[in-house]
């Protein structure tokens, strides 16, 4: 598909137009972005996920109580929850948030393919929120791009424009709710099922469930902070540097004052750091690993025993196929005209470029890939580490 092809989910904008005019710049309301959308989960199914161990879930109550039982304006609880938690809740003014639902529910993961006009490695996860009438998490700001897709019911969204990072927030709660929120002119809408709102980072917004229960899908995007990036890259480079690479001041002139850290010394240290870090090839290797790091490492379940390579090849040649494990992340980077690094769940693996591109796409993982040298061994390794898996029905047939 051409970057200039109009996309219904973007209100008729092409990917190029959306990226040039809106992405990381300004909000966009898209009516009927997914006109035939049906909520992929029921409220009870979402609540069931929130009761499971290891799944990140939060319950936000607008009229809660502190540890002493005194009323307070907001209360946040973290899962896993139980039936008693939901039984005590009032009929309105609360919200259930379940993170990374696409890591557990295939039909939710399938929705990510609609966003293939953006780099796949930028996608983070799909959070789903459920709220009865009045449910909200308060006016707040996110530091990442997000598409808010209405799955059922109605939610009113009000936008407050770009907000400084140091804007005052309400103290004492595990939410960054703004103390002051002023709705911008013409930035007040009620979204119906299938409608979608794009928000760039740093834009204040406030969503409130209307007269009936509603569910909203939040498609969020991963963006490392400068703090995370500098620390992570320095750690990665530090593992590769020899102990002999050190501060050096051969040929220096006698100091005017032996106790002074003079400009020449600081410049030598600056050059050591900059020359060490300014390595495009190493930056690419680190970046691929950083952007494919899984959100929840314990989701990748390694095989108890190594997979025999010849048995895996035979299974594929017999018509079998492998699947990318929900929550696994793949990307690739060319090394030359034929070779690439395949980045998988925080690791980098050298392989044929065609194989890397296929695995980092939505292409079927079947016997055709065995034509690439070393493919069977690579696939067996990815299966052993949990990044790939056999389909459930094939596992049942083998049993």
């Amino acid at each position: 598909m051409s970057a200039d092809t109009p996309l219904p989910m973007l209100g008729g904008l092409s990917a190029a137009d959306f990226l040039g005019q809106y992405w990381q710049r300004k909000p966009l309301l898209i009516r009927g972005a997914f006109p035939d959308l049906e909520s992929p989960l029921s409220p009870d199914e979402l609540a069931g996920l929130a009761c499971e161990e290891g799944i990140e879930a939060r319950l936000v109550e607008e009229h809660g109580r502190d540890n002493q039982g005194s009323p307070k304006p907001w209360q946040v609880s973290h899962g896993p929850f139980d039936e008693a938690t939901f039984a005590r809740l009032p009929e309105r003014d609360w919200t259930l948030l379940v993170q990374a639902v696409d890591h557990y529910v295939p039909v939710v993961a399938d929705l990510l393919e609609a966003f293939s006009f953006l780099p796949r490695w930028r996608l983070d996860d799909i959070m789903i929120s459920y709220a009865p009438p009045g449910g909200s998490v308060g006016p707040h700001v996110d530091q990442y791009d997000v598409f808010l897709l209405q799955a059922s019911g109605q939610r009113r969204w009000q936008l407050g424009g770009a907000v400084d990072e140091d804007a005052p927030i309400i103290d004492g709660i595990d939410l960054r709710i703004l103390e002051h929120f002023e709705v911008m002119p013409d930035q007040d809408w009620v979204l119906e099922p299938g409608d979608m709102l794009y928000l760039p980072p740093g834009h204040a917004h406030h969503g409130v469930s209307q007269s009936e229960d509603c569910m909203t899908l939040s498609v969020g995007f991963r963006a490392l902070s400068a703090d995370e990036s500098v620390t992570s890259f320095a750690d990665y480079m530090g593992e590769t540097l020899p102990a002999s690479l050190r501060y050096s001041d051969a040929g220096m002139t006698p100091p005017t004052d032996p106790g002074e850290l003079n400009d020449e010394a600081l410049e030598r240290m600056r050059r050591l750091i900059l020359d060490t870090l300014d390595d495009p090839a190493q930056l690419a290797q680190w970046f691929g690993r950083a952007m494919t790091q899984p959100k929840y490492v314990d989701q990748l379940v390694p095989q108890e025993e190594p997979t025999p390579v010849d048995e895996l090849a035979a299974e594929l040649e017999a018509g079998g196929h492998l699947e990318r494990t929900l929550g696994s992340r793949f990307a690739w980077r060319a090394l030359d005209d034929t070779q690439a690094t395949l980045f998988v769940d925080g690791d980098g693996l050298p392989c044929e470029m065609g194989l890397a591109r296929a695995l980092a796409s939505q292409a079927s993982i079947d016997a055709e890939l065995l034509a690439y040298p070393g493919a069977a061994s690579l696939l067996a390794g990815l299966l052993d580490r949990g990044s790939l898996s056999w389909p459930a029905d094939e596992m049942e047939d083998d049993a």
Side-chain angles (χ1 to χ4, degrees):
M1 180 183 297
S2 167
D4 296 319
T5 302
L7 298 176
M9 68 166 290
L10 294 177
L13 291 173
S14 67
D17 287 339
F18 172 76
L19 293 175
Q21 299 174 32
Y22 292 94
W23 180 252
Q24 298 218 316
R25 288 180 171 86
K26 58 184 179 180
L28 176 64
L29 172 67
I30 308 154
R31 295 290 187 188
F34 291 78
D36 301 320
L37 178 70
E38 294 184 7
S39 181
L41 291 178
S42 69
D44 285 344
E45 289 170 330
L46 188 68
L49 278 179
C51 294
E52 293 187 18
E53 197 73 39
I55 292 183
E56 185 180 350
R58 289 170 293 162
L59 183 62
V60 180
E61 300 172 68
E62 187 165 351
H63 306 293
R65 293 186 176 276
D66 60 21
N67 293 333
Q68 287 72 44
S70 301
K72 68 176 187 176
W74 295 93
Q75 177 175 311
V76 183
S77 307
H78 295 267
F81 302 111
D82 54 29
E83 292 184 6
T85 301
F86 295 109
R88 70 162 179 80
L89 291 171
E91 295 184 358
R92 56 175 297 121
D93 300 338
W94 56 270
T95 299
L96 173 66
L97 307 167
V98 182
Q99 208 73 43
V101 179
D102 56 301
H103 293 194
Y104 309 99
V105 183
V107 68
V108 176
D110 291 343
L111 287 171
L112 292 175
E113 191 58 26
F115 297 87
S116 60
F117 59 90
L118 293 161
R120 189 172 286 110
W121 47 264
R122 275 282 260 136
L123 287 161
D124 195 6
D125 70 350
I126 297 181
M127 180 185 75
I128 298 184
S129 65
Y130 164 81
S136 167
V137 297
H140 64 284
V141 175
D142 297 317
Q143 296 303 327
Y144 52 83
D145 300 89
V146 64
F147 290 88
L148 301 164
L149 174 59
Q150 195 62 26
S152 65
Q154 298 176 321
R155 186 181 290 275
R156 181 184 184 186
W157 286 105
Q158 297 174 305
L159 307 188
V163 173
D164 293 336
E165 190 171 354
D166 58 356
I169 61 173
I170 298 175
D171 291 330
I173 55 173
D174 190 16
L175 285 174
R176 295 185 60 82
I177 298 177
L178 297 168
E179 281 189 0
H180 308 292
F181 178 74
E182 184 175 344
V183 182
M184 298 285 287
D186 302 319
Q187 302 284 284
D188 187 336
W189 309 289
V190 174
L191 269 63
E192 306 279 350
D195 293 345
M196 185 166 70
L197 176 62
Y198 163 72
L199 292 175
H203 276 66
H205 51 287
H206 185 203
V208 182
S209 176
Q210 297 301 286
S211 59
E212 58 185 81
D213 298 355
C214 86
M215 296 185 74
T216 303
L217 281 65
S218 300
V219 183
F221 289 77
R222 177 174 293 197
L224 298 177
S225 69
D227 176 23
E228 292 173 309
S229 301
V230 169
T231 302
S232 176
F233 184 48
D235 287 344
Y236 174 79
M237 288 298 294
E239 295 175 357
T240 68
L241 298 175
S244 59
L245 184 59
R246 292 172 180 264
Y247 174 84
S248 173
D249 48 15
M252 71 172 175
T253 59
T256 303
D257 182 340
E260 179 190 11
L261 282 171
N262 60 29
D263 291 346
E264 291 79 9
L266 291 176
E267 179 59 20
R268 286 190 288 271
M269 191 70 249
R270 176 175 173 273
R271 291 303 339 156
L272 172 63
I273 292 173
L274 294 181
D275 291 346
T276 300
L277 296 180
D278 189 14
D279 187 330
Q282 288 284 49
L283 180 68
Q285 291 296 313
W286 162 78
F287 191 51
R289 287 165 169 81
M291 293 306 290
T292 59
Q293 189 69 33
K295 192 178 183 76
Y296 305 105
V297 178
D298 57 359
Q299 274 189 265
L300 302 179
V301 181
Q303 300 270 25
E304 293 183 1
E305 298 291 337
T307 299
V309 175
D310 55 346
E311 290 184 11
L312 178 140
E315 184 72 25
L316 294 179
E317 289 168 347
H321 69 281
L322 289 162
E323 294 181 341
R324 299 162 187 84
T325 302
L326 294 181
S328 280
R329 304 174 64 86
F330 292 74
W332 66 275
R333 167 79 178 179
L335 295 174
D336 55 35
D337 291 341
T338 62
Q339 299 296 305
T341 301
L342 173 67
F343 298 106
V344 185
D345 296 327
D347 200 0
L349 308 169
C351 68
E352 293 278 332
M353 185 184 297
L355 179 58
R357 295 187 66 168
L359 290 173
S361 72
Q362 295 301 306
S364 178
I365 305 174
D366 53 28
E368 289 190 11
L369 298 186
L370 297 177
Y372 293 103
S377 295
L378 178 66
L379 295 177
L382 294 176
L383 181 63
D384 290 344
R385 65 188 293 165
S387 298
L388 297 178
S389 56
W390 294 108
D393 55 351
E394 292 186 16
M395 294 177 62
E396 291 170 0
D397 291 343
D398 292 342

